[in-house]
Amino acid sequence: MRRSLALGAALTALVLAGGLLSFVWTPHAVDGMAIADRLKPPSAAHWLGTDHFGRDILSMIMVGARTSIAVALVAVGIGMGLGVPLGLAAAAHKGGWLDEVISRGNDLIFAFPSLVIAILITAVFGAGAVNAIVAIGIFNVPVFARLTRGAALSLWEREFVLAARVAGKGRLRISAEHILPNVANLLIVQGTIQFSLGILAEAGLSYVGLGAQPPVPSWGRMLADAQTMVALAPHVALMPGLAIVLTVLGLNLLGDGLRDALDPRLRRRRP
Amino acid sequence: MVRYALNRLISLAISLLIASVAIFLVVEVAPGDPASYMLGINAQPDTVAALRTELGLDVSKPERYLTWVSGMLGGDFGTSYTYRAPVAQMIADRLWVSLPLAIYALTLSTLIAFPAGLFAASRRGRAGDMAVMGATQLGVAIPNFWFAMMLVLVFSITLRWFGAGGFPGWDAGLGAGLKALTLPAVALALPQAAILARVMRSALIDILGEDFMRTARAKGLSRRQALWRHGVRNALIPVLTIIGLQFSFLLAGAIIIEQVFFLPGLGRLVFQSITQRDLIVVESVVMLLVFAVIVVNFAVDLAYAAADPRLRTRT
């Protein structure tokens, strides 16, 4: 189990480092065209080859990582920022109307096919990174709300919470001071998983042209551009896909590893 | 059980009501008037007004919502702005591609996941289990549209076993139709099979620790017999739930996969309609997909409750 944590952390760190490095340095410029160099297979000069405009694919992937990370990270932020308080509130008022409204709302959003709605939202409000973030973020809210509520409910039954109540603390203070720190581990683990799902969703939306728009490089659009050239230059389609797979794999392994490291009781829970 | 079913039915109706309002509102705020879009920028204002009347766009929004919903209840989804054809007919035509694709993919994913999960659970902790679990980790990390492109690269371009896309129609024969849907179905099925195999494995492992399994072994059944007779049957409950939920992922995933393979399914209809501002089609297709998902979830809930009475009380 240690191995999956280490491998996951390494892959994630690699992608983060690549994205951050691209702010100051990329092997080649990504905004220039070099038609003479187009669709070149991997070589010493271009480690991952070049695309149909002669741009260096490694550089494009590094810059594209920024888009994927930013969209997925902010989407997780939206989900946590809204979902966690809702889940805490629902648990603090267990059985009350607030709990009922929040839980039913969660059920309702869960019932929607998220990708279809994300497509609808980006299509109606315009394609772009911001709308992609919102569309992905909305579906993170019930995930965190449900997780927080479930974990918080059992905490409310514990002695230390009872002690805090006896000491005269209100529900809000107990939620913030005693419940939240105790669900933090769970939230971190779920956060990495939602992060990886966000990267997949962003890639899918960009692929159908509803994510980040040109000239912002994104992995999904690199794949869409590569589709017509698969026969001519397979590496153009292969490389961005591998970037997505390694990133998502890294995050999933990191999530699993963190889960086991932080709470051995939760092992095997995730299907 | 009847009370439980009624309760679930009421929440199903509420879900559908809220969903329809939400979809209507989202689509209604879309920039761009369909009538002016269709007639182009040089259209005379009175021509646009006439078309708006013809399309039923001149009445108030609540009225339009009611017309839309009551029409759908009676199977009338309205008339496409662009094609002037009944939306219900357009959707029905496309469903002949999308629905078989989803079912094909669901079948494949189940056929892959069941043996894989069973194999992994029966060899828990050993090399076979590690291999299956490693493969499922990879399976959930691969974006299905990219997998689809790789399938095309290998099986269409290099090996020439399958066409790279398009659909000949069912008139060309069942074999030809299924062949055209094979690569898309495999691409759709892969991530779902990975998830399902994990569910199957963990459900079986949970059951292997149960007392009744020990009893079964004690009365002389072999490990394999016990696993088949008592294990698999009990593991089916969580597995069926996931299969039900996967239906929604398959329908949604099909939208993107249809783009890769140029399949004339619901997904392409949605994208076409979005670019042509054919809002009534977008509204209706999305509503239909949401309806399908909510109804499938409802059916899964009922099946679940029928199988396990403890679930009839909500916590």
Side-chain angles (χ1 to χ4, degrees):
Chain A
M1 285 302 133
R2 285 274 168 75
R3 265 179 308 173
S4 89
L5 183 62
L7 184 62
L11 281 172
T12 308
L14 181 72
V15 175
L16 284 176
L20 287 175
L21 183 63
S22 75
F23 280 106
V24 290
W25 178 82
T26 50
H28 296 266
V30 292
D31 45 8
M33 287 193 213
I35 298 300
D37 283 340
R38 62 198 297 263
L39 300 177
K40 286 268 159 48
S43 64
H46 299 280
W47 289 4
L48 303 183
T50 59
D51 71 358
H52 57 301
F53 289 133
R55 292 173 299 189
D56 180 54
I57 291 180
L58 177 60
S59 308
M60 295 280 289
I61 287 179
M62 284 169 68
V63 179
R66 301 201 304 234
T67 313
S68 290
I69 293 170
V71 169
L73 204 60
V74 179
V76 171
I78 292 174
M80 276 198 188
L82 295 174
V84 174
L86 285 174
L88 287 174
H93 299 86
K94 183 191 173 192
W97 64 268
L98 192 63
D99 183 23
E100 189 70 10
V101 169
I102 293 172
S103 300
R104 290 301 165 127
N106 284 341
D107 291 349
L108 187 71
I109 298 182
F110 260 123
F112 278 74
S114 52
L115 192 65
V116 176
I117 304 301
I119 287 173
L120 182 69
I121 291 175
T122 45
V124 166
F125 294 98
V130 175
N131 288 338
I133 289 172
V134 173
I136 300 168
I138 289 173
F139 290 95
N140 280 336
V141 175
V143 173
F144 286 104
R146 214 179 242 194
L147 181 75
T148 308
R149 177 180 177 272
L153 277 182
S154 65
L155 288 170
W156 274 96
E157 309 288 325
R158 300 273 289 273
E159 280 88 359
F160 67 91
V161 172
L162 195 65
R165 290 176 77 170
V166 173
K169 289 188 184 177
R171 287 175 185 179
L172 192 65
R173 250 186 97 185
I174 293 177
S175 293
E177 289 177 10
H178 299 285
I179 309 282
L180 186 58
N182 280 296
V183 297
N185 283 351
L186 272 179
L187 294 176
I188 292 169
V189 171
Q190 194 64 43
T192 57
I193 291 160
Q194 295 308 119
F195 190 25
S196 78
L197 291 176
I199 287 191
L200 280 176
E202 193 275 334
L205 286 176
S206 300
Y207 173 74
V208 292
L210 295 174
Q213 294 299 299
V216 181
S218 80
W219 294 343
R221 225 193 37 261
M222 287 174 76
L223 286 173
D225 290 343
Q227 192 172 358
T228 48
M229 285 165 279
V230 153
L232 281 171
H235 70 276
V236 183
L238 192 65
M239 301 305 175
L242 284 180
I244 299 173
V245 173
L246 290 179
T247 309
V248 174
L249 186 66
L251 284 165
N252 284 342
L253 290 174
L254 183 66
D256 285 356
L258 280 177
R259 177 196 318 263
D260 294 342
L262 295 173
D263 191 350
R265 280 170 303 169
L266 290 168
R267 252 173 229 180
R268 285 208 313 31
R269 282 284 289 281
R270 185 164 162 240
Chain B
M1 186 67 202
V2 174
R3 231 185 106 197
Y4 175 83
L6 271 179
N7 253 328
R8 298 294 304 146
L9 199 62
I10 291 169
S11 73
L12 169 94
I14 295 174
S15 298
L16 287 175
L17 185 71
I18 297 178
S20 67
V21 173
I23 291 168
F24 185 79
L25 285 178
V26 166
V27 174
E28 284 300 306
V29 299
D33 174 51
S36 13
Y37 183 85
M38 285 165 65
L39 293 169
I41 42 169
N42 294 322
Q44 300 296 321
D46 51 334
T47 330
V48 175
L51 186 61
R52 284 178 61 86
T53 314
E54 196 191 321
L55 296 175
L57 290 169
D58 55 339
V59 296
S60 70
K61 283 184 180 172
E63 250 178 283
R64 261 161 68 195
Y65 170 77
L66 288 177
T67 320
W68 177 56
V69 169
S70 58
M72 272 195 303
L73 289 174
D76 174 13
F77 287 58
T79 307
S80 156
Y81 300 155
T82 321
Y83 296 102
R84 305 294 174 91
V87 179
Q89 187 57 47
M90 290 169 70
I91 291 178
D93 290 346
R94 305 306 185 100
L95 266 180
W96 274 104
V97 178
S98 293
L99 208 56
L101 176 59
I103 294 169
Y104 194 173
L106 198 63
T107 313
L108 282 180
S109 114
T110 312
L111 286 179
I112 299 166
F114 263 60
L118 197 63
F119 175 80
S122 65
R123 280 172 182 67
R124 187 185 175 192
R126 287 193 267 161
D129 182 24
M130 299 286 192
V132 172
M133 291 312 281
T136 60
Q137 276 285 9
L138 209 55
V140 292
I142 295 178
N144 56 14
F145 61 92
W146 179 69
F147 185 54
M149 288 166 71
M150 294 297 114
L151 287 175
V152 169
L153 181 62
V154 175
F155 293 102
S156 309
I157 295 170
T158 312
L159 296 172
R160 298 187 178 278
W161 289 356
F162 294 94
F167 187 70
W170 294 109
D171 298 335
L174 188 66
L178 283 179
K179 195 177 169 193
L181 293 183
T182 297
L183 289 186
V186 171
L188 266 177
L190 171 90
Q192 306 304 329
I195 296 169
L196 199 59
R198 290 179 148 232
V199 175
M200 181 81 185
R201 174 184 176 272
S202 67
L204 277 172
I205 286 176
D206 282 347
I207 284 160
L208 287 176
E210 296 276 349
D211 291 339
F212 64 80
M213 290 302 285
R214 206 167 337 127
T215 311
R217 291 295 305 280
K219 72 177 194 191
L221 291 185
S222 75
R223 217 182 126 77
R224 178 166 303 199
Q225 283 171 326
L227 194 64
W228 273 103
R229 268 190 225 166
H230 302 278
V232 173
R233 191 176 300 177
N234 281 290
L236 278 182
I237 296 177
V239 169
L240 285 177
T241 316
I242 299 294
I243 292 181
L245 294 175
Q246 288 196 334
F247 186 69
S248 80
F249 289 102
L250 287 172
L251 276 178
I255 290 186
I256 289 184
I257 290 294
E258 282 169 10
Q259 297 294 110
V260 183
F261 291 96
F262 308 103
L263 292 175
L266 280 182
R268 283 189 76 76
L269 182 62
V270 168
F271 282 112
Q272 250 171 31
S273 313
I274 284 170
T275 44
Q276 292 164 339
R277 289 265 149 255
D278 203 344
L279 299 183
I280 184 110
V281 178
V282 181
E283 264 171 9
S284 302
V285 175
V286 172
M287 188 62 215
L288 189 76
L289 288 176
V290 171
F291 175 81
V293 170
I294 291 179
V295 169
V296 168
N297 288 351
F298 168 75
V300 168
D301 272 359
L302 280 194
Y304 213 73
D308 191 341
R310 282 169 301 182
L311 294 164
R312 288 175 209 165
T313 48
R314 260 184 77 93
T315 48

